[in-house]
Amino acid sequence: MNVAIAGMGAIGRKIAKALDDGIPGMALEAVAVGNPQKASEFLTGLKRPPRVLALNALAQHADIVIESAPAAFLRELAEPVLQAGKDLVILSVGALLLNEDLIELAKAHGAKIHIPTGALIGLDAIIAAAEGEIHSVTMKSSKPPLGFHGAPFLVQRGIEVLGIKEPMQLYAGSAREAATGFPANLNVAIAASLAGIGVDRTKLEIWADPTITRNTHELVVESDAARLSMKIENIPSENPKTGRITAQSVIALLRKMGGHLAIGT
């Protein structure tokens, strides 16, 4: 299957390198980048450099398109991919809440939207628990202050976190309300919400914490089948808003899609 990647940031580059090194059944065919000159050195260094195309042209050259671009570009990328009946891997899960009609678009054209596990632990268990009854989902997300720099929620309220000396709670409420305020920070919470009891019932706390160096997520799920209590501490990638494991999660998904043994729900 031919694969295209939208965005050549820390995540996009790692996925591209894995595809170039070899994932059974997969080949990197095309990419879309915001700054072609900036990405050219990396792309030309690959054994099989992909073609560089516009966002809306990726669907014509790939069976699977991976979104690792800023959330604002999701719709421009997604519509032609889904209309062509292709597979779309979305990392900007929060942006999907603002474009929920894309799910119906996928259904109408026989396309499929994939949301990787990303930086979250236990997503399979939440999906399984949702086949019964989930009573509550609570989540606490903490990151070093730099990971929240420039978040719309903070900019709109004039909140500065870079100089804080102790943990500061930035938000407490539903996952839906937080999605627009922290578009680059809450993909794990939105994924957990969609897998479980929805974004309106999932309760979320967001903390900027200068005492930690890893992006940390603590999740508690109460259900009729099990009580799930999970904590993950992700090492940030070159982009402090994103953990290294996010790109690895997409690579694992591609191996699962192209392989003959699928492990996990």
Side-chain angles (χ1 to χ4, degrees):
M1 290 183 280
N2 289 330
V3 181
I5 304 173
M8 279 288 107
I11 294 175
R13 289 196 302 272
K14 187 162 186 178
I15 298 168
K17 183 64 167 60
L19 284 163
D20 194 54
D21 288 341
I23 295 178
M26 302 285 169
L28 179 60
E29 180 66 23
V31 300
V33 295
N35 187 335
Q37 290 184 331
K38 186 177 179 181
S40 63
E41 182 178 352
F42 169 79
L43 294 174
T44 55
L46 297 176
K47 290 176 286 188
R48 184 176 178 272
R51 64 183 77 188
V52 179
L53 304 171
L55 273 181
N56 58 12
L58 294 180
Q60 303 169 31
H61 300 274
D63 306 297
I64 304 168
V65 179
I66 300 168
E67 174 272 313
S68 63
F73 295 100
L74 175 61
R75 188 164 201 94
E76 181 182 351
L77 169 69
E79 283 190 338
V81 174
L82 299 177
Q83 287 170 350
K86 304 297 181 66
D87 284 43
L88 176 65
V89 179
I90 293 180
L91 292 177
S92 299
V93 188
L96 185 59
L97 291 185
L98 305 177
N99 297 275
E100 291 185 87
D101 61 302
L102 292 177
I103 300 172
E104 289 302 315
L105 185 65
K107 182 178 179 180
H109 293 276
K112 184 175 290 187
I113 297 173
H114 301 267
I115 298 176
T117 301
L120 186 63
I121 190 173
L123 195 61
D124 269 9
I126 300 173
I127 293 169
E131 292 296 330
E133 182 180 359
I134 294 179
H135 307 302
S136 65
V137 178
T138 58
M139 185 171 183
K140 178 181 178 182
S141 289
S142 305
K143 293 186 179 183
L146 185 60
F148 292 108
H149 184 61
F153 183 91
L154 304 185
V155 173
Q156 292 166 8
R157 290 162 177 77
I159 300 173
E160 180 54 70
V161 295
L162 293 185
I164 62 174
K165 303 299 182 184
E166 58 186 30
M168 175 191 292
Q169 186 181 77
L170 305 178
Y171 175 83
S174 74
R176 181 184 296 277
E177 292 171 348
T180 55
F182 299 90
N185 298 106
L186 291 184
N187 294 319
V188 289
I190 303 304
S193 301
L194 295 176
I197 55 175
V199 291
D200 296 307
R201 292 177 59 197
T202 300
K203 301 305 178 186
L204 176 66
E205 289 185 12
I206 302 173
W207 291 75
D209 189 344
T211 69
I212 61 175
T213 58
R214 298 186 177 192
N215 300 336
T216 304
H217 308 288
E218 299 170 77
L219 183 67
V220 177
V221 179
E222 299 282 0
S223 79
D224 62 353
R227 183 179 193 270
L228 312 176
S229 180
M230 300 163 275
K231 180 177 181 179
I232 184 168
E233 299 178 10
N234 297 309
I235 299 173
S237 65
E238 299 163 40
N239 178 352
K241 297 179 175 65
T242 305
R244 293 182 188 178
I245 202 169
T246 301
Q248 293 173 209
S249 175
V250 178
I251 295 166
L253 172 63
L254 292 175
R255 293 193 191 281
K256 187 174 182 178
M257 293 172 72
H260 300 283
L261 173 64
I263 301 173
T265 302

